[in-house]
């Protein structure tokens, strides 16, 4: 029936969880009808979905990030009138791609203007940078015609680094850890130490598995791990008599364990971090551009540079005041969907129950930062053979991303750091020039002196110092009554954002939350 496995699985989840909500999502094309996702219908909103009494219902959406745009997009498809108010001059929220000419001023008054090479490959995704293939973000890209390409989050040639030691290739660290785990477990099995857990067949099967898992010797040699070509080569194999020289010496078991690098090996096993990951061709903001076109195509208005200064529930709707270039304007609508960051929303003057503001202050605001470094040559590819992937370090840089696109081009932008929490706060407290200086010094401890050479330009973002955002993301230590309260309408006001989902800090969380709220709002209109 053209229903993809993913759509089917998702619809089962929706149906199991939400009873009547499911019907309303179906009516809106938000749930199982797969054609709704497969076939976009921007020009002709399906006004038939709206009961006569609700035609022309107006929804004021606060915030033109992914949650606000998705809400406006889905509402527009169903025939609602939407006005989206965005405090910044820029649309997209944290979905922000920095390229030649991008300019921004932070809360400390630092202004940066990117002097990157002006071409389609040269950009920094300052916010979201990777999309898991399981996320609804992918469905929206397909529906909106946003082209995707692989994002190489895992790369055997990328580095793992612990301060005070030389960095090692991901493949080397993995080979040694797998090797020794296989050796130890094989010895234990062979000595009968696990006989209580394993049948004779299990033992044989496990030994066979471990031999491949660790690339270790057989029973005749005592299952010893001695290193293997999986570690990489000091001299690559080649023609005629060039056998190659495997990278050595292989560290001992103790050295391997004490390196601390094993902790990075599970990162790409995470459900949301497993290969294949994806990115839009030309920059993450392709998603924003496509949503904006679709939202405007459906007749909605997006007003930028319009911070909201007051929000009131009235008997039959909402009253919203925003500050524009020509002073204050009061907008009236039937409903409001508020997608501001929770801690900023909490400070907005409203006539909502004070418990709402308290709930909005509950999640912890977590810092995140990124630095883009454009070099005049792609030395990480040309000299080190690293094509995409991520290097991890226990320095404050935390992670360094090599571009997954533009191989073979002259220039390229490296993500010099993508960090979070206290590390991001430490970098965020510096001026942009100081951030670059510090990142170059730290990066040189991993990549050597060439890290400082040939830098053309840099641009950094500290999300906690960014006006109208003021944080990387909002995290719940537990999703208790406050979370539940905010997932319900407060009068005629609904809240949406990745922080109201189980996909914190993902665009999919913002999209799913927006869809949930649109369905709830529509349910109310349809039955009201
Ligand atoms: N989505 C962000 C990322 O990919 C933040 C995040 C990291 C969210 C890890 C969940 C888990 O880096």
């Amino acid at each position: 029936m053209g229903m993809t496995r993913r759509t089917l699985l998702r619809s089962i989840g929706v149906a199991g969880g939400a009873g009547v909500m499911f019907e309303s999502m179906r009516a809106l094309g938000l749930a199982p009808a797969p054609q709704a996702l497969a076939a976009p219908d921007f020009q002709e909103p399906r006004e038939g979905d709206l009961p006569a009494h609700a035609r022309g219902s107006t929804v004021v959406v606060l915030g033109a990030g992914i949650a606000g745009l998705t809400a406006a997009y889905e509402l527009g498809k169903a025939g609602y009138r939407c006005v989206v108010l965005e405090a910044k001059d820029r649309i997209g929220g944290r979905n922000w791609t920095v390229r030649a000419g991008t300019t921004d001023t932070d809360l400390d008054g630092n202004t940066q203007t990117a002097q990157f090479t002006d071409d389609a490959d040269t950009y920094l995704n300052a916010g979201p940078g990777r999309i898991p293939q399981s996320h609804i973000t992918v469905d929206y890209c397909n529906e909106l015609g946003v082209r995707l390409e692989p994002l190489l989050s895992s790369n055997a040639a990328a580095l793992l680094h612990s301060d005070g030691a030389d960095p090692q290739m991901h493949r080397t660290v993995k080979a040694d850890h797998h090797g020794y785990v296989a050796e130890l477990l094989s010895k234990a099995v062979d000595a009968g130490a696990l006989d209580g857990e394993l049948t004779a067949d299990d033992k044989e099967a496990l030994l066979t598995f471990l031999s491949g898992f660790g690339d270790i010797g057989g029973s005749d040699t005592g299952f010893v791990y001695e290193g293997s070509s999986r570690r990489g080569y000091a001299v690559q194999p080649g023609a005629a008599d060039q056998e190659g020289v495997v990278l050595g010496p292989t560290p001992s078991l103790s050295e391997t364990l004490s390196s601390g690098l094993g902790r990075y090996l599970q990162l790409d096993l995470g459900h949301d971090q497993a290969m294949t990951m994806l990115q839009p061709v030309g920059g993450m903001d392709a998603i924003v551009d496509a949503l904006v076109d679709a939202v405007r195509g459906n007749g909605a208005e997006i007003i930028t540079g319009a911070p909201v200064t007051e929000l009131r529930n009235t008997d039959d709707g909402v009253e919203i005041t925003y500050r524009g270039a020509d002073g204050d304007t009061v907008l009236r609508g039937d409903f409001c969907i508020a997608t501001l960051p929770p801690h900023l929303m909490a400070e907005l003057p409203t006539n909502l129950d004070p418990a709402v503001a308290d709930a909005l202050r509950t999640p912890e605001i977590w810092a995140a930062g990124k630095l883009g470094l454009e070099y005049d040559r792609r030395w990480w590819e040309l000299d080190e053979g690293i094509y995409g992937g991520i290097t991890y370090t226990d320095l404050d840089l935390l992670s360094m991303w090599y571009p997954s696109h533009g191989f073979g081009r002259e220039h390229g932008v490296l993500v010099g750091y993508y960090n979070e929490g206290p590390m991001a706060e430490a970098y965020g407290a510096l001026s942009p020039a100081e951030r670059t200086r510090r990142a170059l010094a730290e990066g040189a401890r991993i990549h050597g002196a060439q890290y400082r050479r040939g830098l053309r330009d840099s641009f950094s973002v500290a999300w906690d110092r960014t006006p109208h955002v003021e944080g990387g993301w909002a995290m719940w230590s537990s999703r208790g009554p406050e979370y539940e309260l905010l997932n319900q309408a407060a009068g005629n006001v609904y809240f949406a954002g990745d922080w109201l989902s189980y996909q914190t800090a993902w665009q999919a969380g913002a999209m799913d939350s927006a869809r949930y709220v649109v369905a709830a709002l529509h349910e109310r209109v349809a039955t009201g």
Side-chain angles (χ1 to χ4, degrees):
M1 307 257 312
M3 181 181 278
T4 64
R5 189 172 138 268
R6 189 213 329 253
T7 315
L8 180 64
L9 289 175
R10 187 169 290 136
S11 69
I12 291 167
V14 171
V20 79
M21 178 80 73
F22 167 70
E23 284 310 317
S24 124
M25 291 184 91
R26 194 217 298 277
L28 278 169
L30 291 179
Q35 64 277 19
L37 275 179
D41 188 14
F42 308 144
Q43 269 67 46
E44 298 164 302
R46 296 182 309 279
E47 283 183 32
D49 284 350
L50 269 191
H53 71 269
R55 302 261 157 85
S57 284
T58 301
V59 182
V60 183
V61 176
L62 310 187
I66 294 298
L69 291 174
T70 304
Y73 173 54
E74 294 298 350
L75 287 166
K77 281 202 236 172
Y80 290 84
R81 293 203 325 117
C82 275
V83 181
V84 184
L85 296 176
E86 169 53 50
K88 296 176 90 70
D89 293 327
R90 178 177 60 71
I91 297 175
R94 283 165 290 167
N95 179 322
W96 184 32
T97 301
V98 174
R99 42 174 80 79
T102 300
T103 183
D104 194 65
T105 302
D106 69 15
L107 287 172
D108 302 317
N110 297 304
T111 296
Q112 300 176 79
T113 302
Q115 311 288 343
F116 291 157
T117 298
D118 191 359
D119 67 24
D121 285 325
T122 310
Y123 62 80
L124 166 70
N125 284 328
R130 51 182 163 195
I131 306 172
Q133 50 192 317
S134 58
H135 279 193
I136 198 163
T137 318
V138 176
D139 301 71
Y140 274 105
C141 287
N142 288 332
E143 173 166 322
L144 295 163
V146 174
R147 276 177 57 212
L148 296 169
E149 64 189 1
L151 181 282
L152 307 167
S153 49
S154 290
N155 181 353
L159 305 177
L160 300 177
H161 173 254
S162 206
D163 195 17
D166 288 339
Q168 298 190 55
M169 286 183 291
H170 190 113
R171 58 157 51 92
T172 312
V173 175
K174 196 172 187 175
D176 293 343
H177 281 79
H178 283 202
Y180 283 120
V181 166
E183 176 181 325
L184 289 174
L185 191 48
S186 297
K187 283 175 171 166
V189 168
D190 190 54
L194 294 172
D195 280 1
E197 315 281 335
L198 303 168
T199 66
D201 285 350
D202 291 342
K203 280 170 72 169
E204 203 184 307
L206 183 53
L207 287 174
T208 305
F209 166 75
L210 289 170
S211 144
F213 180 76
D215 207 8
I216 56 176
S219 57
D220 46 326
T221 63
F223 307 103
V224 172
Y225 173 68
E226 294 179 313
S228 80
S229 62
R230 289 182 186 177
R231 306 191 80 242
Y233 282 86
V235 179
Q236 294 291 326
D241 62 352
Q242 286 177 35
E243 199 184 336
V245 178
V246 169
L247 200 62
T250 302
S252 68
L253 170 64
S254 295
E255 286 164 343
T256 298
L257 294 175
S258 67
S259 75
L261 297 177
R263 89 182 93 141
Y264 298 115
L265 294 176
Q266 75 276 12
L267 289 178
D268 51 17
L269 297 178
H271 174 259
D272 283 338
Q273 305 287 352
M275 289 292 279
T276 302
M277 300 195 80
L278 301 161
Q279 66 178 9
V281 175
M284 192 59 82
D285 63 354
I287 295 177
V288 174
D289 294 346
L291 278 170
V292 167
D293 284 353
V295 164
R296 289 201 172 125
N298 270 338
E301 198 183 349
I302 304 175
I303 306 174
T304 56
V308 174
T309 54
E310 193 173 344
L311 165 67
R312 304 187 67 76
N313 262 312
T314 61
D315 287 345
D316 57 354
V318 290
E319 212 174 78
I320 286 143
T321 312
Y322 70 90
R323 182 153 301 154
D326 342 303
D328 285 358
T329 304
V330 179
L331 267 184
R332 288 186 182 77
D334 298 289
F335 297 100
C336 171
I337 296 180
T339 72
L340 310 189
H343 59 308
L344 303 186
M345 186 70 207
E347 303 310 318
L348 188 69
T350 70
N351 63 350
L352 303 182
D353 187 325
V356 171
D358 288 344
L360 286 164
R361 288 190 191 99
T362 311
E364 183 187 357
I365 305 303
W366 194 241
K370 266 189 196 175
L371 165 71
L373 300 170
E374 186 188 358
Y375 287 89
D376 59 11
R377 64 188 286 274
R378 297 171 75 105
W379 53 263
W380 55 93
E381 294 167 6
L382 298 170
D383 303 336
E384 302 196 19
I386 302 175
Y387 289 80
I390 300 176
T391 281
Y392 293 97
T393 171
D394 58 2
L395 298 174
D396 279 352
L397 299 173
L398 182 61
S399 72
M400 197 184 266
W401 291 29
Y402 311 93
S404 291
H405 60 280
F407 298 153
R409 299 290 312 259
E410 197 182 344
H411 313 297
V413 174
L414 197 86
V415 176
Y417 63 75
Y418 164 32
N419 55 16
E420 54 177 271
M423 300 179 188
E425 282 170 28
Y427 264 99
L430 306 175
S431 72
E434 288 166 338
R435 290 177 202 155
T436 300
R437 222 172 300 131
R438 178 167 167 184
L440 290 182
E442 288 198 330
R445 283 154 75 176
I446 302 172
H447 277 293
Q450 70 175 340
Y451 203 79
R452 298 169 179 278
R453 284 198 291 268
L455 188 70
R456 284 174 58 99
D457 191 35
S458 63
F459 193 105
S460 56
V461 61
W463 284 108
D464 47 322
R465 323 291 272 209
T466 298
H468 306 296
V469 182
E470 299 192 31
W473 50 81
M475 299 192 299
W476 297 92
S477 54
S478 76
R479 287 172 173 79
E482 295 88 358
Y483 180 81
E484 240 169 78
L485 179 68
L486 297 172
N487 266 303
Q488 289 159 26
N492 300 313
V493 179
Y494 293 81
F495 299 106
D498 63 291
W499 50 282
L500 286 176
S501 77
Y502 280 86
Q503 293 167 306
T504 302
W506 291 105
Q507 295 180 97
M511 290 167 166
D512 276 331
S513 173
R515 291 159 63 85
Y516 179 82
V517 159
V518 166
L521 188 158
H522 182 66
E523 178 72 26
R524 181 162 152 193
V525 168
T527 56

